[in-house]
Amino acid sequence: MNLLYYGDNLDVLRKNVAAESVDLVYLDPPFNSSRSYNVLFRSPAGVESAAQIQAFDDTWRWSQQTDSSLDRLIGGGEAPAHVADALTAMRHLLGTSDMMAYLVMMAPRLVELHRVLKPTGSLYLHCDPTASHYLKLLLDAVFGPENFRNDIVWKRKAGRGETNLAAVRFGVTSDNILFYGRSKLAPFNRQYRESNPEYIASKFTHVEPDGRRYRLDNITSPSYRPNLVYEFKGHLPPPNGWAVSRERMEQMETEGRLYIPENPDRRIQRKRFLDELEGETVDSLWDDIAPINSQARERLGYPTQKPEALLERIIKTSSNEGDVVLDPFCGCGTTVAAAQRLGRRWVGIDITYLAIDLIRKRLLHSYGPEIEKTYTTRGIPTDLEGARALFRENHFEFERWAVSQVNGQPKDRPGGDLGIDGRIRFHADQNRIGQVVVSVKGGEQLNPGMVRDLAGTVGRERAEMGVLLSLEKPTPGMTGEAAKSGTYTSPLTGQSYPKVQVFTVADHFEGRTPKMPPAILPYFKAKQWGGEQSQFQLVAESRPEYPK
């Protein structure tokens, strides 16, 4: 089955993915190049850090843990000799900068990805000019420089100079995709794109009586081959001979694929028909795939989302139907979506529950409930002890997981929540979306004051309802306090619901749900709800049975 893992990709790769079991790896590691490039080269004493993605915040800063990781890679045998040598050299060059911390994070993951690839496998690493040259050195050490295939340039936005009047460089308009084969056995399926209309107009200038357009092309051999030196229809051969045998030349004449001039001094030429043109061969400059912009239909609102067309080209080039595609930083699931549609098997890994939840909803939205029979999700709590373990490991990811279990939209970063860990949307009436604010309590000592605080938050936010979602069983005082908050009556159904209620993780695993109107499931398109300022918003999309 296809597999979706929630967890640190290094642990998942080492424990769960067998050696030589994957045909294609695509990875787009978290990296924010929109800030000053110099930030990543600062020492720990620098004013700011490059870490922008919470899950990797600690990993990108140089620390004692980073130092220990580097020692294990270089001296502890965790990295092959060539990789250890490359890291040693870069340590001398970069010092204890955030860039070096980033490379220490990446190195063991690249070693593991090399291990899980089949001898016929390929890897594509998506990065930007800030770190691409360092990552290429690491990949050369891991894969061997002889297995480097291409440094693909994806032009992701229109060319323009730096708008700042104090600019000291040209505008950055592209990303890099480093393409490596596991060995020389890695397949390559040539790809084509639509031909340039100007090229068509300038080259295909001849027309057959039946209306077929064609251009004339050379049919001479690039090097001397005695067996291809023969006279044909009164025309002497070119110095190196023809490009095809006499038998093939006669067949092409029968098929109307030759232009044979009456003047024997003029050369025979091949006819290339426009209707047989596959298109332009795709080269290492990809300037024909538009990025995800505010108008893109596939936009999910995920900050680093890549277009499916980009992944389709990679998957078609370096895999075949039934092959296994792995994305260890799968984010919003573009690789998973493209692999599913193209008939490949897939493995996705991400360290944030928000990403895993989004991928599951994306698949459900695209393929319906039947898709859930085709893949397995691992690393997500399936019982109360699993939920407690997640809380001990990462409080914030526990909060996001808990909010998602009640069809809510979790916040996208820790802190600054003003008592709100998530929101549930529902149709308050025909013209207005209502909300339920969710407060999650994990390891705190539960007390009635928490319920009173939530009731105050409901009033402040002008929300219809509130849910206190607790890991442990609430006290009798808490349930009594919730009962004092009154009820909310839906204008659409006439049903009444508790204004504030306490719901537990145990309730969820026992199949119960909070008492409230049907939730609008958080789906994909980016939008700002009133009063919220968030970089990443999953937005409600009405199901057909709900009022519009």
Side-chain angles (χ1 to χ4, degrees):
M1 295 186 72
N2 299 319
L3 294 166
L4 188 58
Y5 286 98
Y6 167 51
D8 186 323
N9 53 28
L10 185 59
D11 292 336
V12 172
L13 288 168
R14 286 174 172 172
K15 297 175 183 177
N16 301 101
V17 185
E20 299 187 359
S21 62
V22 172
D23 297 282
L24 171 63
V25 170
Y26 169 84
L27 65 157
D28 182 13
F31 205 85
N32 185 0
S33 63
S34 63
R35 308 180 73 187
S36 169
Y37 283 10
N38 293 327
V39 168
L40 285 172
F41 298 91
R42 292 182 181 172
S43 69
V47 176
E48 56 181 327
S49 168
Q52 290 299 291
I53 296 179
Q54 189 272 338
F56 288 89
D57 191 60
D58 295 333
T59 313
W60 285 8
R61 292 190 179 98
W62 192 270
S63 64
Q64 287 184 341
Q65 183 179 353
T66 314
D67 222 358
S68 299
S69 298
L70 183 59
D71 286 344
R72 290 195 303 272
L73 287 166
I74 294 176
E78 286 191 7
H82 290 308
V83 178
D85 290 344
L87 288 170
T88 300
M90 286 188 277
R91 172 66 173 79
H92 287 301
L93 175 65
L94 297 170
T96 56
S97 65
D98 289 345
M99 174 62 81
M100 189 63 206
Y102 178 77
L103 296 172
V104 171
M105 181 273 288
M106 287 298 300
R109 288 163 172 82
L110 294 177
V111 170
E112 289 301 314
L113 292 172
H114 180 267
R115 178 186 65 83
V116 304
L117 274 175
K118 296 177 182 177
T120 54
S122 299
L123 177 140
Y124 291 76
L125 193 160
H126 195 135
C127 53
D128 64 25
T130 315
S132 61
H133 44 307
Y134 299 116
L135 290 169
K136 185 178 185 302
L137 287 173
L138 270 181
L139 286 167
D140 281 348
V142 173
F143 282 77
E146 70 278 6
N147 290 314
F148 169 69
R149 296 287 182 90
N150 283 109
D151 184 349
I152 298 163
V153 176
W154 174 44
K155 187 176 180 181
R156 56 182 170 78
K157 62 181 179 180
R160 61 178 183 270
E162 294 284 283
T163 56
N164 190 329
L165 293 177
V168 294
R169 62 173 186 172
F170 297 105
V172 178
T173 63
S174 62
D175 286 352
N176 299 76
I177 304 175
L178 302 173
F179 170 26
Y180 281 76
R182 177 71 160 77
S183 72
K184 293 182 179 179
L185 301 176
F188 181 81
N189 304 318
R190 190 179 299 277
Q191 300 297 305
Y192 299 89
R193 62 184 183 183
E194 187 176 344
S195 297
N196 189 322
E198 295 180 1
Y199 168 79
I200 299 296
S202 64
K203 297 296 184 182
F204 289 84
T205 56
H206 304 278
V207 183
E208 293 278 45
D210 62 0
R212 295 182 75 192
R213 293 171 63 87
Y214 66 92
R215 70 179 179 90
L216 297 177
D217 195 7
N218 197 355
I219 197 170
T220 63
S221 177
S223 58
Y224 179 73
R225 298 177 62 184
N227 62 315
L228 299 181
V229 178
Y230 55 87
E231 183 179 334
F232 189 78
K233 298 295 181 179
H235 289 259
L236 296 176
N240 289 336
W242 305 106
V244 297
S245 66
R246 182 184 292 275
E247 291 75 15
R248 176 59 182 148
M249 188 78 97
E250 290 172 349
Q251 181 184 357
M252 291 176 68
E253 182 193 15
T254 302
E255 294 172 351
R257 296 182 179 275
L258 291 180
Y259 169 73
I260 306 176
E262 294 182 2
N263 185 348
D265 293 333
R266 295 180 61 191
R267 184 126 337 140
I268 297 174
Q269 292 180 281
R270 182 200 310 254
K271 293 180 180 179
R272 302 278 191 186
F273 290 97
L274 177 60
D275 57 15
E276 296 177 346
L277 185 68
E278 292 187 85
E280 293 181 5
T281 302
V282 173
D283 55 24
S284 62
L285 173 60
W286 295 4
D287 58 358
D288 60 326
I289 297 177
I292 301 293
N293 57 38
S294 60
Q295 305 303 315
R297 293 183 61 186
E298 63 185 275
R299 184 182 183 221
L300 310 184
Y302 202 84
T304 58
Q305 182 184 354
K306 301 302 184 294
E308 285 194 28
L310 187 75
L311 272 301
E312 285 180 12
R313 177 170 291 174
I314 290 170
I315 291 171
K316 288 179 179 178
T317 299
S318 294
S319 72
N320 299 300
E321 286 193 25
D323 284 352
V324 177
V325 179
L326 183 149
D327 187 341
F329 297 90
C330 59
C332 63
T334 301
T335 303
V336 167
Q340 178 71 32
R341 192 171 61 258
L342 294 173
R344 273 66 167 173
R345 291 176 293 160
W346 50 263
V347 178
I349 310 170
D350 205 274
I351 199 170
T352 65
Y353 179 76
L354 192 62
I356 299 300
D357 191 49
L358 173 56
I359 294 170
R360 294 164 72 181
K361 289 185 171 71
R362 182 175 187 173
L363 291 171
L364 181 66
H365 183 68
S366 298
Y367 297 99
E370 290 298 310
I371 192 65
E372 295 180 343
K373 300 177 182 178
T374 69
Y375 74 93
T376 298
T377 304
R378 296 181 179 173
I380 302 297
T382 57
D383 56 26
L384 187 56
E385 285 308 310
R388 288 182 176 132
L390 175 59
F391 176 76
R392 289 193 297 269
E393 182 179 337
N394 190 316
H395 291 8
F396 179 57
E397 286 302 318
F398 167 77
E399 289 178 2
R400 298 211 282 192
W401 168 81
V403 171
S404 297
Q405 301 319 293
V406 292
N407 290 327
Q409 175 186 329
K411 63 185 181 183
D412 66 330
R413 65 191 68 193
D417 53 37
L418 298 176
I420 302 173
D421 295 310
R423 300 173 191 264
I424 305 170
R425 312 290 181 180
F426 67 94
H427 288 283
D429 56 39
Q430 294 286 353
N431 302 308
R432 189 171 62 84
I433 300 295
Q435 64 172 318
V436 182
V437 295
V438 182
S439 176
V440 179
K441 301 300 178 185
E444 302 96 327
Q445 186 68 39
L446 299 176
N447 62 79
M450 295 175 175
V451 180
R452 289 192 292 271
D453 290 343
L454 177 58
T457 302
V458 170
R460 184 192 72 222
E461 295 292 314
R462 298 182 180 178
E464 280 71 19
M465 301 170 62
V467 171
L468 191 149
L469 182 52
S470 66
L471 179 58
E472 304 301 341
K473 185 177 179 179
T475 66
M478 293 175 68
T479 54
E481 194 68 38
K484 295 177 185 177
S485 63
T487 59
Y488 163 75
T489 302
S490 168
L492 291 177
T493 65
Q495 282 187 268
S496 294
Y497 307 94
K499 184 82 171 179
V500 174
Q501 57 191 297
V502 181
F503 186 78
T504 67
V505 172
D507 290 332
H508 162 69
F509 286 122
E510 291 169 8
R512 290 185 285 274
T513 57
K515 298 178 176 62
M516 64 182 64
I520 303 174
L521 295 184
Y523 275 141
F524 307 127
K525 298 178 182 176
K527 181 179 178 181
Q528 292 292 343
W529 291 91
E532 294 181 21
Q533 299 297 323
S534 177
Q535 200 175 13
F536 175 24
Q537 293 278 324
L538 295 183
V539 170
E541 177 180 279
S542 300
R543 285 184 167 186
E545 64 267 27
Y546 297 156
K548 297 296 182 184

